[in-house]
Amino acid sequence: MSAKQKKSKFFKNPLGMFGKNIVYAILIFLAITALYASFAEREEPEEISFSRLVEEIRASEVLRITVEENKLEVALKNGGIQTAQKEPDAALSETLINYGVSSEALANVTIEMKQPSGALFWLSALLPFILPIALIGLFIWLTMRQVQRSNGQALMFGQSRARVINPEDQREKVTFKDVAGSEEAKEELLEIVDFLQNPQRFLDIGARIPRGVLLMGAPGTGKTMLAKAVAGEASVPFFHMSASEFVEMFVGVGASRVRDLFRMAKKAAPSIIFVDEIDAVGRHRGAGLGGGHDEREQTLNQILTEMDGFETSDQVIVLAATNRPDVLDPALLRPGRFDRRVVLDLPDIGEREAILRVHAVKKIMDTDINLRKIAERTPGFSGADLANLVNEAAILAARSSRKTVSQEDLTVSIEKVMLGPERKSRVFSEKEKKITAYHEAGHALVAASLPNADPVHKISIVSRGRAGGYTMKLPTEDKHLYTREYFLDELAVSLGGYAAEETVFGEITTGSSDDIRKATGLARGLVTRYGMSEKIGPVAWDDQSDLVFLGHDIGHEKKYSEEIASLVDMEVERFMKEALEKAKKIVREKKEKLSEIAEYLIQYETIEQDIFRKLMGINQENPSLVGA
Ligand code: ADP
Ligand code: ZN
């Protein structure tokens, strides 16, 4: 039963409950009345007057008279039965004699006295009192039972409705073999598999088994699949639940579901709990406008409590998936909770080919299928999109009664999937791909050309989140202190994409907006926080700590004069302009290198560090030195 059905049933009940009970009560009442009436309407003996009785006695027609209080039941010799009334408080024989019945005639009649007792008497006396009480009692009982049942329903609410995949289930089982590409993610998760398989080895040495792993990636990049694969590889039960299913109308239900889920998983340990869409409950608390959401908060707290409560020996690992890591509550990411993070990118061209292959194996394909060609034409497709594409092609082939899927089917399906309602990731056009390639190449080139910037780690033009591509830079060593030179170089790197777009295409796209926003923030920080502007000097004009969320920023007011404000703005502008000039100069001077990087990106979509160094002719020992 789905959550919705359950809910609606519950809400209908309070009304239905009374309605139903009234119907019950009326039915029972009718039944009793009918029973009562059937007693009352029993074949009535003929009622005669007392004087008629006297006559009958005189005529010796009467055999026996049964006296019950004032009621007389007269049995006639001919077998008939009659009733009559006598005067109250007077003996029957006396009354008869008074009416002139002779003692001889009277001697012929047997007179029986009958005590007014018997069940029927009592029943008939008490029924008028008992019946309403009984009905009321019945009504109360039925109501109570109904309430109890709906209580039970609320209890069932509290039970998690997690789906479980047992390791024996071969049909549902997924292993790393089924997941194409995502090599880095698989490598990181291999460790988790190891933990689950040989916990003792880790416990013996005193290592703490990780509790939570956060899988981050766009929809359809295979987060669920990968989590299942971890369970499949380790041969442990897999408990799957979406965080949005925790949240119900009633506060506390989510928390109780979490408790139940963890209880089940602990019982089955070693096991894996997979919480999909963790952002549904794990949003940054107190960030949004319009107040918190009690139910979400309680559910989140319960998840955290459960994770904190794991014993070292508890072999339950929680995998959670989200495509919005930016909105997550920091409490979730603290050590001992989801302190491991695995990023799943949209697949690059090589990975797309591999994913297509994995899914093509399950279908009957023409022998001359070229999956590389399809991969080339599907930048921005997620794994789910590609799976969908292969399936669409198979449907197309089946509809035209062919036995195998052709290249043509695949090609036609690209468009279908691209326009289809189901895909959530974005797709590039050829032109967009080119612009993104030059943009990212710009960042990378500037980074590699400036001595104080962090070295380039990886470049990709496969979209991640909102940005079209990304250039990942990692510092060579941990930094705690940042120099002015470092910031200035980083500022230029941020604008490298912008500079490249302008230099190569002569126009700017919206693809740089995020860079500009970040760079401006950095420049403002230089001026108002770090005292790195000569004109303004070491004054902190900005005493607000990291303002990440809109919610915090409300009621923010400037604490400095208009003159200072305009001075700050001018300094920020100057830093930005100088940085852009620096970036543009590099891009212009090394335009050939830029094209080289960009063309490589267009072809392969990602560049790893070693290949980038080769492209740039960077000395391996001293990566900050640029050869070319
Ligand atoms: P997510 O949880 O990230 O939204 P799923 O794990 O539900 O994505 O993936 C949806 C489907 O897409 C999977 O069932 C699988 O068929 C396909 N898929 C995604 N990534 C891959 C991959 N790397 N290799 C093979 N199939 C994939
Ligand atoms: Zn950029």
Side-chain angles (χ1 to χ4, degrees):
M1 191 186 279
S2 82
K4 251 199 197 122
Q5 277 171 318
K6 214 168 215 178
K7 235 186 285 174
S8 67
K9 190 172 171 203
F10 187 82
F11 277 116
K12 249 191 308 201
N13 267 342
L15 269 182
M17 200 159 75
F18 291 110
K20 223 195 269 171
N21 279 359
I22 286 170
V23 171
Y24 272 139
I26 290 175
L27 277 179
I28 288 167
F29 182 77
L30 284 178
I32 290 173
T33 320
L35 205 71
Y36 202 55
S38 75
F39 271 113
E41 277 169 19
R42 221 172 15 163
E43 183 73 33
E44 275 289 291
E46 186 193 352
E47 171 116 32
I48 54 169
S49 65
F50 199 78
S51 48
R52 171 93 196 276
L53 176 64
V54 172
E55 269 166 37
E56 282 172 357
I57 294 173
R58 279 201 192 127
S60 294
E61 285 170 5
V62 175
L63 182 67
R64 179 168 24 93
I65 300 175
T66 311
V67 184
E68 196 183 323
E69 280 199 326
N70 296 326
K71 252 168 79 186
L72 308 174
E73 194 181 274
V74 183
L76 298 176
K77 283 185 178 151
N78 64 13
I81 302 263
Q82 295 169 328
T83 58
Q85 296 282 330
K86 75 173 176 69
E87 283 168 27
D89 304 324
L92 174 65
S93 45
E94 208 172 306
T95 320
L96 286 172
I97 289 166
N98 284 350
Y99 270 78
V101 176
S102 66
S103 5
E104 299 85 59
L106 201 59
N108 281 335
V109 178
T110 324
I111 295 181
E112 273 177 23
M113 305 299 285
K114 197 169 153 192
Q115 280 306 312
S117 71
L120 203 67
F121 170 77
W122 283 110
L123 195 68
S124 62
L126 291 180
L127 206 58
F129 302 103
I130 290 176
L131 195 63
I133 294 174
L135 276 178
I136 291 170
L138 190 78
F139 185 76
I140 291 173
W141 178 70
L142 282 173
T143 313
M144 296 251 288
R145 210 178 56 158
Q146 200 76 42
V147 168
Q148 241 164 24
R149 200 186 296 156
S150 49
N151 265 349
Q153 222 163 42
L155 278 182
M156 263 176 43
F157 257 1
Q159 272 160 24
S160 83
R161 275 165 289 126
R163 291 173 290 287
V164 187
I165 301 178
N166 283 309
E168 298 83 40
D169 191 343
Q170 290 302 326
R171 212 163 33 88
E172 290 262 14
K173 189 166 178 160
V174 179
T175 60
F176 281 160
K177 269 209 317 290
D178 302 307
V179 186
S182 319
E183 293 306 329
E184 282 166 56
K186 277 196 253 181
E187 207 155 295
E188 282 178 71
L189 289 171
L190 211 54
E191 199 182 51
I192 305 291
V193 175
D194 220 13
F195 274 130
L196 288 168
Q197 276 176 332
N198 312 302
Q200 209 49 48
R201 206 172 72 214
F202 294 90
L203 291 175
D204 283 348
I205 215 169
R208 188 174 52 79
I209 291 187
R211 292 166 180 177
V213 181
L214 195 60
L215 301 170
M216 308 189 295
T221 40
K223 299 183 289 295
T224 312
M225 195 185 191
L226 210 54
K228 274 187 196 161
V230 172
E233 289 287 330
S235 286
V236 299
F238 177 79
F239 294 84
H240 176 176
M241 184 128 183
S242 173
S244 56
E245 289 173 64
F246 285 130
V247 183
E248 283 283 355
M249 290 302 297
F250 302 100
V251 173
V253 172
S256 116
R257 278 192 186 152
V258 170
R259 261 195 304 277
D260 194 53
L261 175 64
F262 277 77
R263 193 178 44 72
M264 273 166 32
K266 273 188 203 166
K267 218 192 263 170
S271 61
I272 283 193
I273 296 177
F274 178 63
V275 183
D276 206 356
E277 303 171 58
I278 185 95
D279 44 290
V281 295
R283 269 170 196 272
H284 190 277
R285 283 176 283 194
L289 307 172
H293 188 306
D294 264 356
E295 170 62 356
R296 265 194 213 145
E297 210 151 293
Q298 281 199 16
T299 308
L300 174 61
N301 282 341
Q302 192 61 41
I303 293 178
L304 297 180
T305 311
E306 292 287 347
M307 289 183 75
D308 290 345
F310 279 162
E311 307 283 327
T312 357
S313 52
D314 273 340
Q315 289 150 38
V316 179
I317 293 180
V318 187
L319 303 185
T322 180
N323 51 7
R324 301 289 316 273
D326 49 322
V327 300
L328 286 186
D329 195 298
L332 268 174
L333 310 175
R334 233 169 268 151
R337 292 169 177 174
F338 292 99
D339 47 5
R340 273 157 204 260
R341 265 148 268 175
V342 173
V343 179
L344 287 164
D345 281 325
L346 286 174
D348 68 18
I349 189 164
E351 289 173 318
R352 288 200 299 273
E353 191 184 347
I355 295 173
L356 284 169
R357 181 147 297 121
V358 163
H359 290 279
V361 181
K362 298 174 198 156
K363 315 273 187 292
I364 303 167
M365 296 274 169
D366 278 356
T367 41
D368 61 343
I369 286 282
N370 186 343
L371 292 176
R372 181 77 186 185
K373 277 227 174 74
I374 305 297
E376 271 166 20
R377 294 187 50 180
T378 48
F381 270 47
S382 69
D385 293 332
L386 294 167
N388 193 8
L389 187 158
V390 175
N391 196 51
E392 285 292 342
I395 289 173
L396 216 59
R399 277 231 307 257
S400 40
S401 309
R402 271 177 283 116
K403 292 269 179 286
T404 54
V405 182
S406 69
Q407 183 80 15
E408 171 78 11
D409 292 329
L410 288 167
T411 316
V412 171
S413 301
I414 293 176
E415 227 159 87
K416 201 156 181 197
V417 174
M418 211 183 285
L419 301 173
E422 275 164 48
R423 54 177 313 290
K424 293 179 192 109
S425 44
R426 48 171 270 181
V427 201
F428 288 134
S429 68
E430 282 296 310
K431 185 162 181 233
E432 273 181 313
K433 191 174 172 179
K434 191 172 173 194
I435 294 173
T436 310
Y438 273 91
H439 178 105
E440 294 307 325
H443 284 304
L445 181 71
V446 175
S449 307
L450 290 173
N452 299 304
D454 290 330
V456 173
H457 197 75
K458 182 180 177 178
I459 318 167
S460 167
I461 57 164
V462 188
S463 64
R464 168 196 271 190
R466 271 163 300 169
Y470 62 93
T471 299
M472 193 159 82
K473 299 183 283 90
L474 286 183
T476 30
E477 59 213 42
D478 277 355
K479 282 190 184 154
H480 305 290
L481 295 174
Y482 298 94
T483 61
R484 187 168 180 274
E485 277 59 46
Y486 170 80
F487 277 139
L488 293 181
D489 281 2
E490 281 299 305
L491 213 51
V493 173
S494 305
L495 295 173
Y498 183 96
E501 282 188 43
E502 198 186 2
T503 312
V504 177
F505 302 102
E507 57 182 5
I508 314 287
T509 64
T510 51
S512 299
S513 64
D514 210 44
D515 293 336
I516 294 172
R517 195 176 50 78
K518 278 203 191 114
T520 312
L522 180 56
R524 191 165 285 277
L526 290 181
V527 178
T528 61
R529 230 183 294 171
Y530 307 130
M532 287 177 181
S533 140
E534 302 90 343
K535 284 224 177 89
I536 290 190
V539 186
W541 290 114
D542 180 10
D543 61 353
Q544 307 232 338
S545 45
D546 308 86
L547 306 171
V548 187
F549 289 94
L550 175 66
H552 291 284
D553 212 11
I554 283 181
H556 165 77
E557 48 185 283
K558 280 194 178 129
K559 293 202 179 69
Y560 42 85
S561 69
E562 286 304 317
E563 290 93 276
I564 295 288
S566 69
L567 196 60
V568 166
D569 288 346
M570 267 162 57
E571 276 297 274
V572 170
E573 200 189 325
R574 186 174 65 85
F575 275 125
M576 292 291 284
K577 277 217 171 106
E578 282 174 11
L580 182 60
E581 275 318 309
K582 207 194 277 186
K584 269 194 192 162
K585 185 161 173 275
I586 294 169
V587 168
R588 250 184 265 124
E589 279 172 6
K590 300 183 179 171
K591 209 169 166 185
E592 257 153 57
K593 269 278 172 266
L594 182 77
S595 300
E596 217 176 300
I597 303 169
E599 291 307 323
Y600 190 97
L601 274 175
I602 291 170
Q603 197 178 349
Y604 298 102
E605 296 176 9
T606 47
I607 304 183
E608 296 290 343
Q609 187 171 29
D610 45 348
I611 294 173
F612 180 70
R613 281 183 185 164
K614 263 188 217 132
L615 270 174
M616 292 296 297
I618 296 175
N619 184 327
Q620 296 286 329
E621 274 74 50
N622 194 350
S624 56
L625 273 186
V626 182

